[in-house]
Amino acid sequence: MVFTLAWPLVPWILQIIGICFFLLVGIFLISASEEVFRVTQNCTCGAAEAAKELLEGTVCNQNSFTKTCGEDSDCGLTNACQFALNQNLSHVGWYHLYNFLGLLWIICFISDFGDMVLAGSFAGWYWTLDRKKDLPIFPISNSLSRTVRYHMGTLAFGSLIIDITKVIRCLIEYADYKLKKYSKYNPLVKALDCCCKCCFWCLEKFMKFINRNAYIMTAVHGKKLIKSSRDAFLLLMRNALRAFVLDKVTDFLLFMGKLVIVGGVALISFLVFGKQHAALEDKVPLVHFYLLPVILITVGTYFITTRFFSVYNMAVDTLFLCFLEDCERNDGSVDKPYYMPKELRGILGKKNKLKTSNQAIGT
C-alpha cells in the first residue's frame, strides 16, 4: 500500500499531457488557414440561355468552376478563378470552444480515474478477510487493470456530468461579465445572477460528492454509475450522523496536516533566503527580493501537499463506505463475518464467531 502515496503523480502527469495536447491543438488552429479563390475579371459563366455574369472579386471554387462555367464561356476560356489569399478558418472560434470543452472533460476524466484506482486499491484491502496471506503485492496495479478494463465508460459518463456543470458555470460567469453594467442599476438582475451562481456552485459540489462515492461503490461492486450513485447516497443517508462527524473530523485533521507542512516549509524558506541565521550568511547567495522565492516555494508546497493528501482523503472515504456496508451486510457469524480490522472491532465491541476449528475468522 506504500505505492498509493506515489499514485497522485500518475494523474498529474496525464493531466499535463492533456494540457499540452490542448495547447498544441490551439496552436494548430491559430495557424491553420484555408485558400480563397476569386474571379480575376468580369466574365460570363455558363451557356447562352443560363449564362450569368460573374464580377471581379467574387469568391469561387476552383474545383467546380470549370464544370459549372464550361470551357466555351468567357470565364472558362480565361480561367478566371484564381488563387487570391490564405485566410483564417471561417469557424475557428467554434473549434477553439470544442477544444476547450474537451480539455475540461479530459481533466475531469483523469481526476476521476485517479480516484477510482485508489478506491479500488483501498476497497480491495478492506474486503480481504485474511490480510496476512491474501493481499496482493501490488494492489494499485490490480485496481488499475480492473479500472481500465471495466470502468472507463463509467468514468467518462461521470466526468461528462461534471464537465457540463462546469460549462454552465462558465456561461453564467460570461453572462455576469456582460451584464455588469446592468447589475449596478437593476437589483433584480444582480439578485438573479447571484442565485444562479450559488445554485450551480452547489450543484457542482453535490455532483462531485455523488460521483466520488459512486466511484467507490463501482470499485467495490462493479455496478453502473447510476446504480452505484443511488446505493452510495442511500447508504450515507442511513448513516448521516456518522458521515457528517467523520467528514468534519477528517477535514480538520487534513487541514492541520497541510497547515503544519506548508507553514513549516514557509518558515524554513524564510529563514534561509532571509538569512535570519548567522550560519547561513556565507552559504546562501544574496537575494534582494527574498520574499519572492519564499512565496513561490510556499504556493508550490501547498499544491503538492494538497495533491498527496488527497490519497488520505480518498482512503478515509473508501474505508468509511466499506465499513458502513460491512456493518449492514454482516453480523459476525461464521457465514457473514465482519471484514473490519480486529482493532476496529474491539473499539466497536463487535466480534466474529469462531469456526468449529476454534480459530477466529479474520485474525
Side-chain angles (χ1 to χ4, degrees):
M1 301 297 287
V2 179
F3 293 100
T4 56
L5 293 177
W7 172 252
L9 293 174
V10 177
W12 182 69
I13 293 174
L14 292 177
Q15 287 179 343
I16 290 179
I17 294 175
I19 293 174
C20 292
F21 179 77
F22 162 77
L23 295 176
L24 183 63
V25 173
I27 292 173
F28 272 110
L29 289 177
I30 292 174
S31 60
S33 62
E34 56 185 358
E35 295 180 339
V36 178
F37 292 84
R38 297 183 183 277
V39 177
T40 56
Q41 60 184 7
N42 297 334
C43 59
T44 304
C45 177
E49 298 180 354
K52 60 179 180 179
E53 293 290 334
L54 292 181
L55 301 178
E56 181 180 354
T58 304
V59 177
C60 58
N61 188 338
Q62 192 181 41
N63 295 328
S64 59
F65 183 80
T66 304
K67 181 178 179 181
T68 303
C69 295
E71 298 180 354
D72 299 332
S73 63
D74 293 341
C75 294
L77 291 173
T78 58
N79 195 16
C81 185
Q82 298 292 330
F83 170 78
L85 54 87
N86 283 318
Q87 68 176 12
N88 293 332
L89 299 178
S90 56
H91 303 292
V92 68
W94 293 104
Y95 299 150
H96 282 296
L97 177 61
Y98 181 79
N99 188 30
F100 177 71
L101 296 180
L103 173 67
L104 292 180
W105 193 1
I106 288 174
I107 295 297
C108 293
F109 177 84
I110 295 174
S111 178
D112 294 347
F113 173 76
D115 289 343
M116 180 172 283
V117 172
L118 287 176
S121 177
F122 295 130
W125 176 87
Y126 186 94
W127 294 109
T128 301
L129 196 58
D130 191 350
R131 297 185 178 90
K132 294 181 179 179
K133 298 180 180 180
D134 298 334
L135 280 178
I137 300 177
F138 300 105
I140 280 287
S141 61
N142 292 347
S143 179
L144 175 63
S145 62
R146 288 195 303 269
T147 302
V148 172
R149 184 175 181 181
Y150 299 110
H151 305 313
M152 298 300 281
T154 299
L155 292 172
F157 183 38
S159 59
L160 178 61
I161 295 175
I162 302 299
D163 183 35
I164 292 174
T165 56
K166 286 182 178 294
V167 170
I168 295 176
R169 289 190 63 194
C170 291
L171 292 176
I172 293 175
E173 292 293 338
Y174 179 76
D176 176 59
Y177 172 76
K178 289 294 185 180
L179 295 175
K180 274 186 177 179
K181 57 181 180 181
Y182 300 107
S183 61
K184 295 180 180 179
Y185 308 103
N186 193 338
L188 179 60
V189 174
K190 190 173 183 179
L192 290 175
D193 179 59
C194 291
C195 289
C196 290
K197 286 183 179 179
C198 180
C199 291
F200 280 98
W201 180 84
C202 294
L203 176 63
E204 182 179 351
K205 294 297 181 182
F206 178 74
M207 293 308 302
K208 286 183 177 180
F209 171 78
I210 291 296
N211 278 5
R212 184 181 181 87
N213 292 282
Y215 293 148
I216 296 174
M217 298 301 287
T218 300
V220 173
H221 299 290
K223 298 179 180 178
K224 297 180 180 179
L225 180 68
I226 301 300
K227 185 172 179 56
S228 297
S229 302
R230 185 195 65 182
D231 294 343
F233 181 76
L234 294 178
L235 181 61
L236 290 172
M237 289 300 101
R238 291 194 296 268
N239 301 271
L241 183 59
R242 284 180 174 180
F244 177 79
V245 173
L246 180 74
D247 182 67
K248 297 307 175 184
V249 171
T250 303
D251 289 344
F252 175 75
L253 293 177
L254 293 178
F255 171 76
M256 292 303 298
K258 294 178 185 178
L259 184 64
V260 170
I261 295 175
V262 176
V265 172
L267 179 61
I268 293 174
S269 60
F270 174 77
L271 295 176
V272 171
F273 290 101
K275 296 184 179 182
Q276 302 297 324
H277 197 279
L280 299 174
E281 291 184 358
D282 299 331
K283 298 180 180 180
V284 179
L286 179 63
V287 180
H288 294 285
F289 303 100
Y290 66 90
L291 286 180
L292 179 60
V294 171
I295 294 173
L296 293 177
I297 291 174
T298 304
V299 173
T301 303
Y302 171 77
F303 284 108
I304 294 173
T305 305
T306 301
R307 174 67 68 175
F308 283 95
F309 267 59
S310 64
V311 176
Y312 294 98
N313 198 8
M314 195 67 195
V316 172
D317 291 343
T318 303
L319 297 179
F320 179 63
L321 276 181
C322 293
F323 163 74
L324 293 180
E325 185 163 356
D326 191 16
C327 292
E328 290 189 356
R329 193 168 65 180
N330 302 316
D331 54 9
S333 62
V334 176
D335 296 330
K336 296 181 178 181
Y338 290 118
Y339 283 80
M340 66 186 72
K342 184 178 180 180
E343 296 78 9
L344 183 58
R345 292 202 305 267
I347 295 174
L348 299 176
K350 297 180 180 293
K351 295 182 180 180
N352 280 339
K353 293 182 181 180
L354 301 180
K355 289 183 177 180
T356 56
S357 59
N358 295 326
Q359 295 180 350
I361 299 178
T363 59

